[in-house]
Amino acid sequence: MTADPLLTLFLPVALGIIMLGLGLSLGLADFTRVVKFPKPVLIGLGCQLLLLPVLCFGLTKVFGLAPALAVGLMLLAASPGGTTANLYSHLAHGDVALNITLTAVNSVIAILTMPLIVNLALMHFMTGEQAIPLQFGKVLQVFVIVLGPVAIGMALRSRFPAFAERMQKPVKLVSALFLLLIILLALVKDWQTFVDYAPLVGGAALAFNLLSLAVGYYVPRLLKLNLRQSIAIGMEIGIHNGTLAIALALSPVLLNNSTMAIPAAIYSIIMFFTAALFGWWVNRTHGQELAAEAA
């Protein structure tokens, strides 16, 4: 594939604006909170970094996904939580501070874990000619571009808190628009594959989404975290950063494979509905417990 100017220019700008929005909501306390309250953060990271890739690999086998689609689903599993998880957690009465901390920490850790998981997936699913290793140096460049706006957003929040507060809503609106455009771009780039595999990939994406929400909610409950923390981790793990996964798949300097972007594009649509249903269910089922914890 030749480099598409739309991809080389649009994707970095879109990612930058979305990550700037994340930075405007972060402070240094979101990182230092890990030291003060390590248990919920470690449980959330354990679910995200260890359990999900293993479960996702199993789903690629159960659904018999084509190699590029299987790598795309693994790429999604390796992606950190999305910023939308914070909003959904707030609406569902989850521990939003924990969400923000997990998003912040996991976005940094993903610099190491994403190339590792994706390269293992490439080695397993793709033949030698098909596999294009996700080189650490190139991924590091992408994350510098991605995390740079986060640092700018954090600096603005620290220096000009009132301005950062005012900008959060408009930046979130623009981020949502860019997310929609990125999903559409991913589908248009490989429309025929999407049409051919939509039911199969849609089923796999839905199964992975439900599994992510279940793992994120029930594992913390089993490990005696409170309800608000369990809701937060459920949302964090159930709402992946599909934008990042799509960008890595489409990027001409990285994977450069539009088929690999399809699972993340479909997942990014499904997750909004399932997360809303999850929030409704947990509040309907445990409303009294949540009220007691909030008191």
Side-chain angles (χ1 to χ4, degrees):
M1 283 186 212
T2 56
D4 187 336
L6 182 63
L7 297 182
T8 55
L9 293 174
F10 174 72
L11 279 178
V13 170
L15 265 177
I17 290 174
I18 290 170
M19 299 310 282
L20 176 68
L22 170 61
L24 288 172
S25 67
L26 292 177
L28 288 177
D30 300 311
F31 291 91
T32 57
R33 197 178 288 116
V34 180
V35 179
K36 295 178 182 176
F37 308 103
K39 183 179 177 181
V41 176
L42 290 175
I43 289 173
L45 291 176
C47 291
Q48 175 80 50
L49 300 174
L50 301 175
L51 268 180
L52 277 195
V54 173
L55 293 172
C56 183
F57 178 78
L59 283 177
T60 64
K61 297 298 184 181
V62 170
F63 281 86
L65 294 181
L69 294 170
V71 172
L73 197 63
M74 291 299 296
L75 171 61
L76 181 67
S79 302
T83 54
T84 312
N86 304 342
L87 172 61
Y88 273 84
S89 185
H90 170 69
L91 294 174
H93 303 101
D95 185 341
V96 180
L98 176 57
N99 276 107
I100 294 172
T101 299
L102 282 169
T103 300
V105 175
N106 204 7
S107 295
V108 175
I109 294 175
I111 296 173
L112 298 173
T113 56
M114 284 192 80
L116 175 63
I117 292 171
V118 174
N119 281 336
L120 288 173
L122 286 167
M123 289 166 57
H124 179 82
F125 291 108
M126 310 290 278
T127 63
E129 293 180 356
Q130 292 173 304
I132 305 172
L134 198 60
Q135 296 175 3
F136 177 78
K138 288 183 177 180
V139 176
L140 186 59
Q141 291 174 20
V142 171
F143 273 94
V144 167
I145 295 169
V146 168
L147 295 179
V150 175
I152 292 170
M154 289 178 67
L156 285 171
R157 180 184 170 91
S158 174
R159 189 77 186 272
F160 310 105
F163 171 76
E165 193 69 32
R166 286 199 308 273
M167 288 302 295
Q168 277 192 52
K169 282 189 178 179
V171 171
K172 279 180 181 176
L173 276 173
V174 175
S175 297
L177 178 62
F178 273 121
L179 174 59
L180 178 61
L181 289 174
I182 287 171
I183 292 169
L184 290 174
L185 177 63
L187 296 179
V188 169
K189 283 290 290 181
D190 208 358
W191 179 250
Q192 192 55 50
T193 303
F194 169 69
V195 171
D196 293 342
Y197 288 96
L200 185 64
V201 180
L206 176 60
F208 180 55
N209 179 233
L210 295 175
L211 198 59
S212 298
L213 286 167
V215 166
Y217 176 72
Y218 284 109
V219 170
R221 292 294 276 170
L222 288 171
L223 295 175
K224 308 300 183 186
L225 292 190
N226 67 41
L227 184 58
R228 293 184 68 242
Q229 291 172 331
S230 300
I231 292 171
I233 295 173
M235 290 298 187
E236 189 68 28
I237 292 175
I239 300 178
H240 289 267
N241 192 340
T243 313
L244 182 57
I246 293 170
L248 292 180
L250 293 182
S251 173
V253 298
L254 293 170
L255 291 169
N256 198 23
N257 189 315
S258 53
T259 303
M260 291 180 185
I262 290 175
I266 295 176
Y267 188 101
S268 295
I269 298 168
I270 291 171
M271 69 184 187
F272 291 110
F273 300 99
T274 53
L277 285 172
F278 167 67
W280 172 83
W281 169 79
V282 79
N283 275 267
R284 182 178 174 84
T285 309
H286 301 288
Q288 289 184 339
E289 187 179 345
L290 278 170
E293 286 186 8

